[in-house]
Amino acid sequence: MDVKRLMGAVLLCVLLFGAGTAQELAPEEGLRLTVYTSHKEEVYRPVVEEFERRTGIWVRVVTGGTTELLERIEGEADDPRADVMFGGGVESLMAYEGCFAAWSTPRDMLLEDCRFDEHRFVAFSRLPLVIIYNPRLVDDPPQGWRDLLSPRWRGQIAFADPGVSGSSFTALATLMQALDGEASLALLADNVRGHVLSGSGEVVSAVASGAMSVGVTLHETAKKRILAGDRIEMVWPEDGTSAVPDGAAVIANCAHEENARLFVRFILGEDVQRRVQTDFARLSVRSDLARETEAEEHAFCAYDIDWASANQRDILATWGALMREEAP
């Protein structure tokens, strides 16, 4: 047999027997869980791996942007493919609440602004928004949301598509509540039109590389990249920022509901919530964990989650229309 035929035979055996082995190793249905997550890998992976280690449940992870995953869950409502939605701002989860199973969490476990007693999801962590800038390019950075609306920053703001990124939608809702509603939305659109990034992960890279001068991102993301050596700096908006919790929810009529509920209880456990603060550079939602962090020293606007959720689709539709207009 010549070398090519020998290699072909070996490859065929690997494919056939490898597939059989994988099927044999796959766990029974009672030990499976499918998680849709918009978290970055450095957040979801250690949580999922520890959950698997403790429970013996095998977790299949599907990643994507918050909005695209929620739309997928809505589209799969008659035949759910996921058991848990892990991630996404709670105002985004609220907009798709009809897709989730009922849930309740002991009130004294959570901080007051992280209790959603009447809703079908739980808070996982709190995520302040900040403005970042490249100090090599900017001597006088914007100090708040209103500054970002100045024509000075036209074409220089790194901002992710809010139709994909939950944090970018939260930024739009924060801007509208901290300032002048739809008028502020139009001014920001003028400054970012034609330069919107496809995902939130690109924002810091664009600013650090000098492709953009300033950007809007989560405090968590900015802090981690600064510690990793990226040359960016942060500004806490002086006109107030938001610290909207992200959350998790059990999918209604999912195939592995018991495992899904076990996972949600697990992420609210004290050890995972401590890791939220120490490893993930976020703020815990538990009332028994210290709140003394640098974030608590800064100004926060009165962010209305119910309003943001009720108006999410209209805000995104308005933003989409603004993006189709010609640049000033």
Side-chain angles (χ1 to χ4, degrees):
M1 182 180 292
D2 60 33
V3 173
K4 287 186 178 180
R5 288 183 179 179
L6 178 60
M7 292 299 293
V10 170
L11 177 59
L12 180 60
C13 288
V14 169
L15 291 173
L16 289 175
F17 291 104
T21 301
Q23 186 61 36
E24 291 169 7
L25 293 176
E28 60 185 65
E29 280 297 320
L31 291 175
R32 298 189 190 197
L33 181 71
T34 297
V35 173
Y36 283 4
T37 184
S38 53
H39 285 304
K40 296 178 179 65
E41 186 173 5
E42 64 261 27
V43 174
Y44 78 74
R45 180 175 291 279
V47 172
V48 166
E49 288 181 347
E50 182 62 16
F51 177 76
E52 289 180 317
R53 188 186 70 79
R54 294 191 193 182
T55 65
I57 294 171
W58 178 79
V59 181
R60 172 176 172 259
V61 175
V62 177
T63 62
T66 297
T67 304
E68 65 177 312
L69 288 175
L70 289 170
E71 289 178 348
R72 181 170 175 176
I73 288 169
E74 184 177 57
E76 296 170 352
D78 292 336
D79 183 22
R81 307 297 175 85
D83 302 303
V84 173
M85 175 63 188
F86 182 34
V90 293
E91 78 275 54
S92 295
L93 298 179
M94 201 177 292
Y96 289 82
E97 195 164 12
C99 299
F100 306 142
W103 185 270
S104 63
T105 304
R107 286 183 57 81
D108 59 355
M109 175 186 289
L110 302 176
L111 296 167
E112 186 175 353
D113 57 357
C114 296
R115 297 170 184 167
F116 299 98
D117 300 331
E118 305 302 319
H119 297 284
R120 298 184 171 193
F121 51 80
V122 300
F124 170 65
S125 63
R126 293 180 294 148
L127 297 159
L129 284 166
V130 296
I131 296 168
I132 59 172
Y133 66 97
N134 186 319
R136 293 168 294 173
L137 303 176
V138 178
D139 294 325
D140 183 20
Q143 295 301 306
W145 300 108
R146 193 173 298 280
D147 289 348
L148 285 181
L149 306 183
S150 167
R152 171 191 174 191
W153 302 111
R154 188 161 294 157
Q156 298 183 60
I157 302 174
F159 193 76
D161 180 2
V164 175
S165 167
S167 59
S168 279
F169 170 75
T170 300
L172 293 184
T174 302
L175 175 79
M176 294 176 72
Q177 294 185 58
L179 300 180
D180 308 313
E182 205 162 300
S184 60
L185 198 67
L187 291 173
L188 180 66
D190 287 343
N191 283 354
V192 304
R193 189 181 292 109
H195 301 280
V196 174
L197 304 176
S198 61
S200 58
E202 299 179 39
V203 171
V204 176
S205 296
V207 176
S209 69
M212 295 287 183
S213 299
V214 300
V216 178
T217 190
L218 295 172
H219 167 259
E220 166 211 16
T221 305
K223 185 173 182 179
K224 286 180 178 178
R225 294 288 292 269
I226 290 171
L227 292 174
D230 282 330
R231 293 189 62 187
I232 61 169
E233 294 188 17
M234 282 190 293
V235 173
W236 288 83
E238 62 183 9
D239 35 19
T241 191
S242 59
V244 179
D246 64 349
V250 175
I251 309 303
N253 303 312
C254 63
H256 311 101
E257 183 173 345
E258 184 177 345
N259 294 344
R261 292 183 181 276
L262 187 63
F263 181 82
V264 173
R265 286 193 291 271
F266 171 76
I267 66 172
L268 292 178
E270 183 178 347
D271 52 347
V272 173
Q273 285 293 305
R274 286 194 182 280
R275 196 165 190 175
V276 162
Q277 299 193 141
T278 59
D279 295 0
F280 303 155
R282 299 178 174 209
L283 307 180
S284 172
V285 299
R286 284 183 62 116
S287 58
D288 57 347
L289 297 182
R291 298 188 67 174
E292 290 74 23
T293 67
E294 62 176 301
E296 308 297 345
E297 302 171 2
H298 299 281
F300 289 86
C301 63
Y303 188 91
D304 188 334
I305 292 174
D306 290 328
W307 176 87
S309 173
N311 290 279
Q312 183 185 41
R313 299 189 192 212
D314 289 342
I315 292 170
L316 290 176
T318 299
W319 181 259
L322 289 169
M323 289 298 97
R324 291 190 291 273
E325 294 180 5
E326 291 187 10

